[in-house]
Amino acid sequence: MKLFARVGLFMLLVGVLVGCNKVRGNEIQSIKVECVDICKDQGEKTLFTEKTFNDADDIKTFARAINKATKIQGELDYGAYFYMYIYFENSSQKKYVLNISNEVDKGIKGLLVDSADSGKGYSIPEEFHNELSTLIYQ
């Protein structure tokens, strides 16, 4: 009986750890992207201070990018383009550093870092970087 309890606890723990970076688009109320550091250093090219996304299709695009991001090994040293705030329907929120450049179709990947654990990051594949770049900079 103890073996089954241990196996069950292990499976629960693995499920929680694997799902930590996953978000469900239908649970997100809105997403706000705030221009910081590198974004502000663009001078006159800075297009906005902050931008909020409420459209369901836009939110799904962000959710897909987050869910497809892969963990980067080792500690990170990076500057920040944006802070991204995800507001959930249950009134909770999550803050990330989101690095998306204004360039598309150049093989560039994005960077996603949970602000609660700023030494660990996730690489956003080029396809999703391009989609987010179009959304953010249009």
Side-chain angles (χ1 to χ4, degrees), residues 2 15-16 27 41 76 89 96 99 106 108 126 136:
K2 286 184 180 182
V16 168
E27 295 176 354
D41 288 342
L76 299 178
E89 290 179 352
Y96 293 92
N99 285 357
K106 295 195 176 186
I108 299 172
E126 177 185 0
I136 292 169

Side-chain angles (χ1 to χ4, degrees), residues 91-106:
S91 298
S92 66
Q93 71 177 29
K94 192 139 177 83
K95 179 182 177 185
Y96 293 92
V97 168
L98 178 67
N99 285 357
I100 299 293
S101 78
N102 193 10
E103 310 225 5
V104 295
D105 298 326
K106 295 195 176 186

Side-chain angles (χ1 to χ4, degrees), residues 12-83:
L12 178 64
L13 181 60
V14 168
V16 168
L17 290 175
V18 169
C20 283
N21 195 42
K22 303 297 181 195
V23 296
R24 293 187 178 145
N26 61 350
E27 295 176 354
I28 298 172
Q29 184 175 12
S30 66
I31 295 174
K32 179 174 77 173
V33 177
E34 177 185 359
C35 179
V36 297
D37 302 339
I38 297 170
C39 175
K40 286 183 177 180
D41 288 342
Q42 296 179 29
E44 292 180 20
K45 292 182 181 180
T46 302
L47 302 176
F48 59 88
T49 303
E50 64 182 46
K51 193 172 189 178
T52 301
F53 299 90
N54 297 304
D55 179 74
D57 289 335
D58 294 346
I59 289 170
K60 286 178 186 175
T61 299
F62 277 94
R64 278 193 317 270
I66 292 167
N67 292 336
K68 294 294 183 179
T70 56
K71 188 171 184 187
I72 299 170
Q73 298 300 315
E75 291 292 313
L76 299 178
D77 183 19
Y78 59 93
Y81 277 79
F82 304 103
Y83 289 144

